[in-house]
Amino acid sequence: MIDIQLLGTGCTEFKRLERTVRKAVAELGVEASITLVTEFADIFAYPILGTPALVIDGQIKSQRAVPDEQDVLGCLRASA
């Protein structure tokens, strides 16, 4: 199972990241746990410079931007 955390405060970009990640997970048909990390204290536990951020299996894959679906698919394939 792939462990995914989406870090952000619920802004438009955060919601777009969530849609992109959920679409990529469904397209690959992989088993994944997606956690929305929205509390400031929890977000600041990660060494990131800004949100939204994508963390897959404990590794920061993107921050301060929303990767396109192909980039997310590549990250998921590498983790599967």
Side-chain angles (χ1 to χ4, degrees), residues 59-71:
Q59 295 185 359
I60 299 167
K61 299 297 183 176
S62 73
Q63 56 183 310
R64 297 176 62 180
V66 177
D68 66 25
E69 186 178 347
Q70 292 304 312
D71 290 337

Side-chain angles (χ1 to χ4, degrees), residues 7 43 47-53 62-65:
L7 291 80
I43 292 170
I48 61 169
L49 299 175
T51 61
S62 73
Q63 56 183 310
R64 297 176 62 180

Side-chain angles (χ1 to χ4, degrees), residues 4-24:
I4 302 170
Q5 286 87 35
L6 306 178
L7 291 80
T9 58
C11 67
T12 303
E13 293 299 299
F14 177 77
K15 291 175 184 175
R16 188 163 64 101
L17 175 62
E18 181 182 5
R19 285 192 305 271
T20 301
V21 168
R22 289 189 187 280
K23 184 176 178 185

